Amino acid sequence: MPANTRNAVTAIIYFAVSVMITAWFIEQKFGYVVIPDIILLSNIVAAIKWVIITIAAMVLLKENKWIFIRRIAFACLAGSCTMFSTYAFRFLPVSSWQQFTYALTFALLVMTVLFFKAVTDTRLSVKWFAAWLAIVIISVILQIKVVFHLHPSFVTNEVSQFFDSRKKSEIA
């Protein structure tokens, strides 16, 4: 199998597994998502950053495009896998909101480091990394503001107890 074909197939597998993990994770709800349409929209927003950068690589890169795409697909998969850290955070004395936030922060950190490594290892301009970071920031803002409407008064599965001062005093 030629190297480009092997890299392309590997990238497709990495992205597919990542999408399945992300869909499963979002479907688990973790106290936030209860409507199937929101689960679908969340998955689309999560995937779009990878679609944009992959299309850009396919169109703009002449050399090492499939190596780069395979490496960013691995960054995507690694980020999705780190969301399982939510289960480890459950053993800490933190709220479900914090468990989710810590896992998401960890996933973004892992993806960012691996994406930067993909850019530098394939000797691309740092502009690729900057563009991806901009896309990630837009994606996170869309997830928070549009998809989940997350704010301290968001109420699902008792998540609000960690933000509502009336309930907080009852819990303490």
Side-chain angles (χ1 to χ4, degrees):
M1 179 183 305
N4 281 343
T5 304
R6 188 172 52 252
N7 286 326
V9 168
T10 303
I12 290 167
I13 291 169
Y14 287 164
F15 279 132
V17 172
S18 178
V19 165
M20 288 187 281
I21 290 170
T22 303
W24 175 84
F25 185 80
I26 292 169
E27 192 275 330
Q28 294 301 303
K29 297 179 183 73
F30 291 98
Y32 307 104
V33 185
V34 293
I35 302 167
D37 291 346
I38 291 178
I39 294 169
L40 178 63
L41 182 59
S42 178
N43 239 350
I44 290 169
V45 171
I48 203 85
K49 65 184 162 287
W50 299 106
V51 170
I52 291 170
I53 205 74
T54 301
I55 290 171
M58 291 175 74
V59 171
L60 300 174
L61 296 179
K62 293 185 181 14
E63 295 179 26
N64 296 329
K65 96 170 62 177
W66 289 109
I67 293 170
F68 177 68
I69 292 171
R70 186 197 74 222
R71 288 178 177 170
I72 65 171
F74 179 76
C76 177
L77 175 61
S80 293
C81 288
T82 58
M83 292 302 287
F84 288 116
S85 64
T86 300
Y87 295 109
F89 291 126
R90 287 183 174 179
F91 294 104
L92 299 175
V94 295
S95 69
S96 62
W97 172 264
Q98 290 168 318
Q99 293 167 8
F100 177 78
T101 304
Y102 294 161
L104 186 59
T105 302
F106 183 47
L108 287 171
L109 177 65
V110 166
M111 287 188 298
T112 302
V113 167
L114 291 175
F115 191 91
F116 184 76
K117 185 171 175 13
V119 168
T120 57
D121 286 353
T122 51
R123 295 188 173 111
L124 295 177
S125 166
V126 178
K127 291 178 184 178
W128 281 88
F129 180 69
W132 183 78
L133 273 181
I135 294 167
V136 167
I137 291 167
I138 291 167
S139 173
V140 169
I141 291 169
L142 285 172
Q143 289 278 17
I144 291 170
K145 296 292 186 180
V146 177
V147 177
F148 296 122
H149 307 288
L150 290 181
H151 51 77
S153 64
F154 189 75
V155 179
T156 319
N157 294 350
E158 299 177 23
V159 170
S160 67
Q161 71 182 348
F162 302 107
F163 299 100
D164 188 341
S165 59
R166 293 168 297 180
K167 284 190 176 182
K168 195 173 188 176
S169 63
E170 293 172 15
I171 294 170

